[in-house]
Amino acid sequence: MHMDMCVHVRETGLGKSTLMDTLFNTKFEGEPATHTQPGVQLRSNTYDLQESNVGLKLTIVSTVGFGDQINKEDRFWKGSGHLPTLPFSYKPIVEFIDAQFEAYLQEELKIRRVLHTYHDSRIHACLYFIAPTGHSLKSLDLVTMKKLDSKVNIIPIIAKSDAISKSELTKFKIKITSELVSNGVQIYQFPTDDESVAEINGTMNAHLPFAVVGSTEELKIGNKMMKARQYPWGTVQVENEAHCDFVKLREMLIRVNMEDLREQTHARHYELYRRCKLEEMGFKDTDPDSKPFSLQETYEAKRNEFLGELQKKEEEMRQMFVQRVKEKEAELKEAEKELHEKFDRLKKLHQDEKKKLEDKKKSLDDEVNAFKQRKTAAELLQSQGSQAGGSQTLKRDKEKKKGWSCSGLQAYWPSLYPRLVASPCFWSGPHPACFSPAAAYSMSLLPLTAVAQP
Ligand SMILES: Nc1nc2c(ncn2[C@@H]2O[C@H](COP(=O)(O)OP(=O)(O)OP(=O)(O)O)[C@@H](O)[C@H]2O)c(=O)[nH]1
Ligand SMILES: [Mg+2]
């Protein structure tokens, strides 16, 4: 026997783990969930149990984080006056249930299907934990149950029901039932079509939602050990039907209706999923003329439709690609043009700078040359002046008295004399050569041309 159960909890610490342990009289491993992480997660664990000499493979899938981060949305929905449609905390749960159906459908559609050995992971029952508030159901509970009721057998239970008084509990049960009915939420009804269980199931349906208490602690009551919760004011016996509905739940879930839960899952919930899925894929039972629909034709039509869509998508992508390439090309051209312009500007700037520098260099060269020439001339004059010195002084004195003579100048300044004659200079005083060469140089009386020539 195999059963997959989804344990659904609305808030942290609603006694989910304790109830599972109490129901199956064991200690399932598992840390208490952290309720601080964002989003809803599902934890799935499979256990091999022995129940009344029957082997039971039980998978428990628990939701973590459901309702933890949703309070604001909850207020908003209530204020808006209508139930929200999409996709808050319940979405991962719906997706998980659908994924199990999908896996089963895939197995069914295989050419070589092995359904007898297939590990059926479809969820057969959802225990929906309701907090013992005594108030109305929260919008989130109603919306979630509405989303789930066509996919799984929902068994609503009031958790920790020892926290609510007997009279409040009666009213709370009535309130929950009427809210479920007015919101069109279909919870699992124990079947009454089989005579052997019709009476008990009919009675149990009237007790829904079950108000449960969980405890793994065993206390001695009378001379019997019993699962109970002890309080300063008294003891709640888990298996006492006057205290809570735990026994009813256990009987209905594990002993009387487990097979029906599996049957309903396959015949109702999975069938609905399968039908919707096949219709979505384009399969029909009859064509418009009410003739049986050919699987081959459906497949061909769907294949052609798919190929057409694929081609259309390909064409769109090609167009988009060409467009992008064109845009990129234009961008690149523009960038290239800008680069060329920048290069030309820089080249011109460089040429102008180069020309300026060349001009400057030329003028500096000229200045250097002129300086060198002056320097040479000055040095020459200085050395000749010092050679002539001594003996010439007397002669010069005599000539001074006569006035200046060219022969004297020639002797004194032999190499320059012919040039000086050849370059006339207008001078009304004594002949320039009669000055000391340094003085003559400093007064710039010697034309540069004359000095420069050897
Ligand atoms: N009063 C009361 N307390 C209970 C009941 N069941 C469990 N508790 C206590 O509630 C606390 C949380 O119980 P858990 O079973 O760990 O709750 P849970 O829903 O598994 O918690 P998370 O895994 O954290 O979501 C523990 O202290 C339990 O002893 C119950 O029926 N009545
Ligand atoms: Mg837990």
Side-chain angles (χ1 to χ4, degrees):
M1 178 80 71
H2 174 251
M3 185 177 189
D4 277 27
M5 192 180 297
C6 172
V7 180
H8 197 72
V9 63
R10 174 66 175 79
E11 284 157 24
T12 178
L14 261 187
K16 169 183 65 177
S17 302
T18 311
L19 190 79
M20 285 296 110
D21 291 350
T22 320
L23 263 178
F24 294 97
N25 204 17
T26 184
K27 175 90 190 113
F28 298 114
E29 307 115 41
E31 299 283 300
T34 66
H35 293 262
T36 50
Q37 59 210 21
V40 175
Q41 273 143 32
L42 298 172
R43 270 201 214 143
S44 169
N45 288 304
T46 300
Y47 309 91
D48 283 309
L49 305 175
Q50 202 70 25
E51 183 67 29
S52 315
N53 294 329
V54 179
L56 175 69
K57 198 179 184 84
L58 176 75
T59 303
I60 300 179
V61 183
S62 24
T63 57
V64 177
F66 184 86
D68 284 352
Q69 296 88 17
I70 213 81
N71 295 337
K72 281 189 194 118
E73 285 92 336
D74 195 63
R75 267 209 306 276
F76 171 70
W77 297 343
K78 284 219 149 170
S80 70
H82 56 83
L83 298 177
T85 48
L86 273 176
F88 298 98
S89 287
Y90 54 80
K91 203 177 171 217
I93 305 162
V94 170
E95 282 171 356
F96 182 84
I97 295 171
D98 279 350
Q100 313 317 311
F101 285 149
E102 183 61 31
Y104 192 86
L105 180 63
Q106 290 302 323
E107 186 61 33
E108 261 194 348
L109 293 175
K110 276 185 186 168
I111 295 170
R112 288 183 199 183
R113 48 192 183 163
V114 275
L115 289 170
H116 55 284
T117 53
Y118 173 77
H119 172 76
D120 184 3
S121 60
R122 292 173 298 177
I123 304 294
H124 300 112
C126 168
L127 295 185
Y128 198 101
F129 281 57
I130 298 166
T133 58
H135 300 298
S136 317
L137 281 172
K138 299 192 177 181
S139 302
L140 179 62
D141 290 324
L142 285 169
V143 170
T144 306
M145 282 196 260
K146 185 83 199 112
K147 286 281 164 193
L148 296 178
D149 71 357
S150 58
K151 295 181 179 293
V152 68
N153 300 312
I154 300 174
I155 303 174
I157 53 178
I158 299 166
K160 294 187 174 180
S161 66
D162 53 329
I164 191 166
S165 76
K166 199 172 175 181
S167 58
E168 278 174 338
L169 185 64
T170 312
K171 282 187 208 151
F172 193 35
K173 277 193 178 191
I174 293 167
K175 192 158 205 156
I176 291 171
T177 310
S178 84
E179 279 185 334
L180 290 174
V181 171
S182 60
N183 283 283
V185 178
Q186 295 218 318
I187 57 168
Y188 174 71
Q189 294 290 311
F190 304 117
T192 48
D193 42 4
D194 180 348
E195 273 179 27
S196 61
V197 289
E199 196 185 332
I200 181 153
N201 277 354
T203 318
M204 290 301 150
N205 280 331
H207 282 283
L208 286 171
F210 292 141
V212 295
V213 173
S215 175
T216 45
E217 200 182 335
E218 297 227 338
L219 300 173
K220 193 163 186 180
I221 297 164
N223 52 2
K224 268 178 107 184
M225 292 303 284
M226 289 183 184
K227 290 199 181 78
R229 299 188 74 84
Q230 197 166 33
Y231 297 101
W233 40 262
T235 304
V236 181
Q237 296 165 26
V238 171
E239 289 168 304
N240 185 337
E241 288 198 52
H243 290 193
C244 73
D245 299 331
F246 174 82
V247 173
K248 294 186 182 76
L249 173 69
R250 188 175 60 193
E251 285 297 308
M252 291 293 100
L253 183 69
I254 306 172
R255 300 199 177 130
V256 182
N257 293 304
M258 189 182 277
E259 199 43 54
D260 186 67
L261 285 163
R262 289 164 51 81
E263 178 64 30
Q264 290 288 321
T265 303
H266 185 74
R268 206 170 126 218
H269 302 304
Y270 170 68
E271 201 50 35
L272 181 65
Y273 177 85
R274 181 183 155 279
R275 207 178 64 213
C276 294
K277 194 75 191 181
L278 292 180
E279 277 172 4
E280 208 178 277
M281 286 162 75
F283 293 107
K284 286 176 196 142
D285 291 333
T286 51
D287 65 12
D289 307 325
S290 302
K291 285 182 190 153
F293 214 76
S294 152
L295 202 66
Q296 179 71 23
E297 276 173 27
T298 310
Y299 170 74
E300 286 295 334
K302 203 70 196 166
R303 189 167 177 272
N304 289 340
E305 190 187 314
F306 174 73
L307 287 177
E309 264 174 34
L310 199 72
Q311 247 172 4
K312 207 173 131 201
K313 275 235 155 60
E314 252 178 34
E315 182 57 25
E316 274 172 19
M317 282 181 75
R318 206 181 60 78
Q319 293 285 350
M320 205 188 291
F321 178 73
V322 169
Q323 181 66 20
R324 290 294 305 271
V325 168
K326 274 186 188 161
E327 282 170 14
K328 206 78 206 167
E329 241 175 37
E331 270 174 33
L332 283 173
K333 267 189 187 151
E334 186 61 27
E336 195 185 348
K337 199 176 142 211
E338 273 173 24
L339 267 177
H340 272 301
E341 282 171 7
K342 196 172 174 184
F343 176 74
D344 288 346
R345 272 200 311 276
L346 283 173
K347 198 171 153 191
K348 188 158 181 322
L349 209 71
H350 171 74
Q351 277 171 351
D352 291 352
E353 284 290 315
K354 195 176 163 195
K355 178 134 189 354
K356 268 189 211 162
L357 280 173
E358 275 170 4
D359 289 351
K360 206 162 188 164
K361 184 174 176 274
K362 194 166 170 301
S363 87
L364 277 173
D365 283 349
D366 287 351
E367 271 180 40
V368 168
N369 284 339
F371 176 75
K372 277 182 187 164
Q373 282 170 356
R374 285 180 193 168
K375 191 181 165 207
T376 314
E379 282 168 359
L380 192 62
L381 284 174
Q382 207 166 19
S383 69
Q384 283 176 352
S386 58
Q387 272 172 23
S391 61
Q392 294 284 335
T393 315
L394 192 63
K395 204 175 169 184
R396 253 202 329 267
D397 285 348
K398 279 180 195 169
E399 279 171 5
K400 255 189 195 169
K401 283 172 196 163
K402 286 186 211 164
W404 58 276
S405 86
C406 284
S407 60
L409 180 65
Q410 198 175 15
Y412 183 69
W413 217 348
S415 62
L416 280 176
Y417 178 71
R419 310 290 191 277
L420 287 169
V421 174
S423 323
C425 78
F426 303 98
W427 181 256
S428 58
H431 192 281
C434 296
F435 294 115
S436 77
Y441 176 73
S442 70
M443 290 171 74
S444 294
L445 292 176
L446 297 175
L448 283 174
T449 46
V451 177
Q453 289 179 26

